[in-house]
Coordinates of all heavy atoms in Angstrom, one line a residue:
S246 N -3.2 26.4 -2.3 CA -4.2 26.9 -3.2 C -4.8 28.2 -2.8 O -4.8 28.6 -1.6 CB -5.4 25.9 -3.3 OG -6.4 26.3 -4.1
R247 N -5.3 29.0 -3.8 CA -6.2 30.0 -3.4 C -7.5 29.4 -2.9 O -7.9 28.4 -3.5 CB -6.5 30.9 -4.7 CG -5.4 31.8 -5.1 CD -5.8 32.7 -6.3 NE -6.1 32.0 -7.5 CZ -7.2 31.8 -8.1 NH1 -8.3 32.4 -7.5 NH2 -7.4 31.1 -9.2
L248 N -8.1 30.0 -1.9 CA -9.3 29.4 -1.3 C -10.5 30.1 -1.9 O -11.0 31.1 -1.4 CB -9.3 29.6 0.2 CG -8.0 28.9 0.9 CD1 -8.0 29.2 2.4 CD2 -8.0 27.4 0.6
T249 N -11.0 29.5 -3.0 CA -12.1 30.1 -3.8 C -12.9 29.0 -4.4 O -12.4 27.9 -4.6 CB -11.6 31.1 -4.9 OG1 -12.7 31.6 -5.6 CG2 -10.6 30.4 -5.8
W250 N -14.1 29.3 -4.7 CA -15.1 28.3 -5.2 C -14.5 27.6 -6.5 O -14.8 26.4 -6.7 CB -16.4 28.9 -5.5 CG -16.3 30.1 -6.5 CD1 -16.0 31.4 -6.3 CD2 -16.5 30.0 -8.0 NE1 -16.0 32.1 -7.4 CE2 -16.3 31.3 -8.5 CE3 -16.7 28.9 -8.8 CZ2 -16.3 31.6 -9.8 CZ3 -16.8 29.2 -10.2 CH2 -16.6 30.5 -10.7
Q251 N -13.7 28.3 -7.3 CA -13.2 27.7 -8.5 C -12.4 26.5 -8.3 O -12.3 25.6 -9.1 CB -12.4 28.8 -9.3 CG -11.7 28.2 -10.6 CD -10.5 28.9 -11.0 OE1 -10.3 30.1 -10.7 NE2 -9.6 28.2 -11.7
K252 N -11.7 26.5 -7.1 CA -10.8 25.4 -6.8 C -11.5 24.2 -6.2 O -10.8 23.2 -5.8 CB -9.7 25.9 -5.8 CG -8.9 27.0 -6.3 CD -8.1 26.6 -7.5 CE -7.2 27.7 -8.0 NZ -6.4 27.3 -9.3
G253 N -12.8 24.2 -6.2 CA -13.6 23.0 -5.8 C -13.5 22.7 -4.3 O -13.3 21.6 -3.8
T254 N -13.7 23.8 -3.5 CA -13.5 23.7 -2.1 C -14.5 22.8 -1.4 O -14.1 22.2 -0.4 CB -13.5 25.1 -1.4 OG1 -14.7 25.8 -1.9 CG2 -12.3 25.9 -1.8
D255 N -15.7 22.7 -1.9 CA -16.6 21.7 -1.3 C -16.1 20.3 -1.5 O -16.2 19.4 -0.6 CB -18.1 21.9 -1.8 CG -18.1 21.9 -3.4 OD1 -17.1 22.2 -4.0 OD2 -19.2 21.6 -3.9
L256 N -15.5 20.0 -2.6 CA -14.9 18.7 -2.8 C -13.6 18.5 -1.9 O -13.4 17.4 -1.4 CB -14.5 18.5 -4.3 CG -15.7 18.6 -5.3 CD1 -15.2 18.2 -6.7 CD2 -16.9 17.8 -4.9
I257 N -12.9 19.6 -1.8 CA -11.7 19.5 -0.9 C -12.1 19.1 0.5 O -11.5 18.3 1.1 CB -10.9 20.9 -1.0 CG1 -10.2 21.0 -2.3 CG2 -9.9 21.0 0.2 CD1 -9.6 22.4 -2.5
F258 N -13.1 19.8 1.0 CA -13.5 19.5 2.4 C -14.1 18.1 2.5 O -13.8 17.4 3.5 CB -14.5 20.5 2.9 CG -13.9 21.8 3.3 CD1 -14.1 22.9 2.5 CD2 -13.1 21.9 4.4 CE1 -13.5 24.1 2.9 CE2 -12.5 23.1 4.7 CZ -12.7 24.2 4.0
A259 N -14.8 17.6 1.5 CA -15.3 16.2 1.6 C -14.1 15.2 1.6 O -14.1 14.3 2.4 CB -16.2 15.9 0.3
M260 N -13.1 15.4 0.8 CA -11.9 14.6 0.8 C -11.1 14.7 2.1 O -10.6 13.8 2.6 CB -11.1 14.8 -0.4 CG -11.7 14.3 -1.7 SD -10.6 14.3 -3.1 CE -10.4 16.1 -3.4
A261 N -10.9 16.0 2.5 CA -10.1 16.3 3.7 C -10.7 15.6 4.9 O -9.9 14.9 5.7 CB -10.0 17.8 3.9
Y262 N -12.0 15.7 5.1 CA -12.5 15.0 6.3 C -12.4 13.5 6.2 O -12.2 12.8 7.2 CB -14.0 15.4 6.5 CG -14.1 16.7 7.3 CD1 -14.3 17.9 6.6 CD2 -14.1 16.7 8.7 CE1 -14.4 19.1 7.3 CE2 -14.2 17.9 9.4 CZ -14.4 19.1 8.7 OH -14.4 20.3 9.4
E263 N -12.6 13.0 5.0 CA -12.5 11.5 4.8 C -11.1 11.0 5.1 O -10.9 10.0 5.9 CB -12.9 11.2 3.3 CG -12.7 9.7 3.0 CD -13.7 8.8 3.6 OE1 -14.7 9.3 4.1 OE2 -13.6 7.6 3.4
L264 N -10.1 11.7 4.6 CA -8.7 11.3 4.8 C -8.3 11.6 6.2 O -7.6 10.7 6.8 CB -7.8 12.0 3.8 CG -8.1 11.6 2.3 CD1 -7.3 12.6 1.4 CD2 -7.6 10.2 2.1
A265 N -8.7 12.7 6.8 CA -8.3 12.9 8.2 C -8.9 11.9 9.1 O -8.3 11.5 10.1 CB -8.7 14.3 8.6
N266 N -10.1 11.5 8.8 CA -10.8 10.5 9.7 C -10.1 9.1 9.6 O -10.2 8.3 10.5 CB -12.3 10.4 9.2 CG -13.1 9.6 10.2 OD1 -13.1 9.8 11.4 ND2 -13.9 8.6 9.7
K267 N -9.4 8.9 8.5 CA -8.7 7.6 8.3 C -7.3 7.7 9.0 O -6.5 6.8 8.9 CB -8.5 7.3 6.8 CG -9.8 6.9 6.1 CD -9.5 6.6 4.6 CE -10.7 6.1 3.9 NZ -11.1 4.7 4.4
G268 N -7.0 8.9 9.5 CA -5.7 9.0 10.2 C -4.6 9.7 9.4 O -3.4 9.8 9.8
C269 N -4.9 10.2 8.2 CA -3.9 10.9 7.4 C -3.5 12.2 8.1 O -4.3 12.9 8.7 CB -4.4 11.2 6.0 SG -4.7 9.7 5.0
N270 N -2.3 12.6 7.8 CA -1.9 14.0 8.1 C -2.3 14.9 6.9 O -2.2 14.5 5.8 CB -0.4 14.1 8.3 CG 0.1 13.4 9.6 OD1 0.8 12.4 9.6 ND2 -0.2 14.0 10.7
L271 N -2.7 16.1 7.2 CA -3.0 17.1 6.2 C -2.2 18.4 6.5 O -2.2 18.9 7.7 CB -4.4 17.4 6.1 CG -5.3 16.5 5.3 CD1 -5.6 15.2 6.1 CD2 -6.6 17.2 4.9
C272 N -1.5 18.9 5.5 CA -0.8 20.2 5.6 C -1.4 21.1 4.5 O -1.2 20.8 3.3 CB 0.7 20.1 5.5 SG 1.4 19.3 6.9
I273 N -2.0 22.2 4.9 CA -2.8 23.1 4.0 C -2.3 24.5 4.1 O -2.2 25.1 5.2 CB -4.3 23.0 4.3 CG1 -4.8 21.5 4.1 CG2 -5.1 24.0 3.5 CD1 -6.3 21.3 4.5
L274 N -2.0 25.1 2.9 CA -1.6 26.5 2.8 C -2.5 27.2 1.8 O -2.7 26.7 0.7 CB -0.1 26.5 2.3 CG 0.4 27.8 1.8 CD1 0.5 28.9 3.0 CD2 1.8 27.6 1.2
G275 N -3.1 28.3 2.3 CA -3.9 29.0 1.3 C -4.6 30.2 2.0 O -4.6 30.4 3.2
S276 N -5.2 31.1 1.1 CA -5.9 32.2 1.6 C -7.0 32.6 0.5 O -6.8 32.2 -0.6 CB -5.0 33.4 1.9 OG -4.4 33.9 0.7
G277 N -8.0 33.2 0.9 CA -9.0 33.6 0.0 C -10.3 34.0 0.7 O -10.3 34.9 1.5
E278 N -11.4 33.3 0.3 CA -12.7 33.7 0.8 C -12.8 33.4 2.3 O -12.4 32.3 2.8 CB -13.8 32.9 0.0 CG -13.8 33.3 -1.5 CD -14.6 32.4 -2.3 OE1 -15.5 31.7 -1.7 OE2 -14.5 32.4 -3.5
Y279 N -13.3 34.3 3.1 CA -13.3 34.2 4.5 C -14.0 33.0 5.0 O -13.6 32.3 5.9 CB -14.0 35.5 5.1 CG -14.1 35.5 6.6 CD1 -13.0 35.7 7.4 CD2 -15.3 35.2 7.2 CE1 -13.1 35.7 8.8 CE2 -15.4 35.2 8.6 CZ -14.3 35.4 9.4 OH -14.4 35.4 10.8
Q280 N -15.2 32.7 4.4 CA -16.0 31.5 4.8 C -15.2 30.2 4.7 O -15.2 29.4 5.5 CB -17.3 31.5 4.0 CG -18.2 30.3 4.4 CD -19.4 30.3 3.6 OE1 -19.6 31.0 2.6 NE2 -20.3 29.4 4.0
I281 N -14.4 30.1 3.6 CA -13.6 28.9 3.4 C -12.5 28.9 4.4 O -12.1 27.8 4.9 CB -13.1 28.9 1.9 CG1 -14.2 28.9 0.9 CG2 -12.2 27.7 1.7 CD1 -13.8 29.1 -0.5
E282 N -11.9 30.0 4.7 CA -10.8 30.0 5.7 C -11.3 29.5 7.0 O -10.7 28.8 7.8 CB -10.2 31.4 5.8 CG -9.4 31.9 4.6 CD -8.9 33.3 4.8 OE1 -9.2 34.0 5.8 OE2 -8.2 33.8 3.8
Q283 N -12.6 30.0 7.4 CA -13.2 29.5 8.6 C -13.5 28.0 8.7 O -13.3 27.4 9.7 CB -14.4 30.4 8.9 CG -14.2 31.8 9.2 CD -13.2 32.0 10.3 OE1 -13.4 31.6 11.5 NE2 -12.0 32.6 10.0
Q284 N -13.8 27.5 7.5 CA -14.1 26.1 7.4 C -12.8 25.3 7.7 O -12.8 24.2 8.3 CB -14.7 25.7 6.1 CG -16.1 26.1 5.9 CD -16.6 25.7 4.5 OE1 -16.4 26.4 3.5 NE2 -17.2 24.5 4.4
L285 N -11.7 25.8 7.2 CA -10.4 25.2 7.4 C -10.0 25.2 8.9 O -9.5 24.3 9.4 CB -9.3 25.9 6.6 CG -9.2 25.6 5.1 CD1 -8.1 26.4 4.5 CD2 -8.9 24.1 4.9
E286 N -10.3 26.3 9.5 CA -10.1 26.4 11.0 C -10.9 25.4 11.8 O -10.4 24.8 12.7 CB -10.3 27.8 11.5 CG -9.4 28.9 10.9 CD -8.0 28.8 11.5 OE1 -7.7 27.9 12.2 OE2 -7.2 29.6 11.1
K287 N -12.1 25.2 11.3 CA -12.9 24.1 11.9 C -12.3 22.7 11.7 O -12.4 21.9 12.6 CB -14.3 24.2 11.4 CG -15.3 23.2 12.0 CD -16.7 23.4 11.4 CE -17.7 22.4 12.0 NZ -19.0 22.5 11.4
L288 N -11.8 22.5 10.5 CA -11.1 21.2 10.2 C -10.0 21.0 11.2 O -9.8 19.9 11.8 CB -10.7 21.2 8.8 CG -9.8 20.0 8.3 CD1 -10.7 18.7 8.4 CD2 -9.3 20.2 6.9
R289 N -9.2 22.0 11.3 CA -8.0 21.9 12.2 C -8.4 21.7 13.7 O -7.8 20.9 14.4 CB -7.1 23.2 12.2 CG -6.0 23.2 13.2 CD -4.9 24.2 12.9 NE -5.4 25.6 12.8 CZ -4.6 26.6 12.4 NH1 -3.4 26.4 12.3 NH2 -5.1 27.8 12.3
A290 N -9.5 22.4 14.1 CA -10.0 22.2 15.5 C -10.5 20.8 15.7 O -10.4 20.2 16.8 CB -11.1 23.2 15.8
T291 N -11.0 20.1 14.7 CA -11.6 18.8 14.8 C -10.4 17.8 14.8 O -10.5 16.7 15.5 CB -12.5 18.5 13.5 OG1 -13.5 19.5 13.4 CG2 -13.1 17.1 13.7

């Protein structure tokens, strides 16, 4: 995805953390708004 507010990124992060916490694998490809990219890096670090 493009990483922009239109794509529902706050909902994406809510679901991503929920699913990652359950043990799911996540593979994410995208670029866009710097703040969202940094949130993804934080998700990967977690």
Side-chain angles (χ1 to χ4, degrees):
S246 179
R247 285 185 296 113
L248 302 178
T249 176
W250 58 274
Q251 178 206 333
K252 298 300 181 179
T254 48
D255 51 337
L256 304 188
I257 287 171
F258 282 111
M260 290 192 288
Y262 275 98
E263 175 73 8
L264 292 168
N266 193 48
K267 288 180 178 291
C269 294
N270 290 110
L271 278 77
C272 291
I273 298 174
L274 166 65
S276 65
E278 297 168 19
Y279 177 75
Q280 182 181 6
I281 300 171
E282 292 179 356
Q283 292 306 296
Q284 287 179 274
L285 282 178
E286 295 290 1
K287 183 179 177 181
L288 173 67
R289 173 164 55 184
T291 306

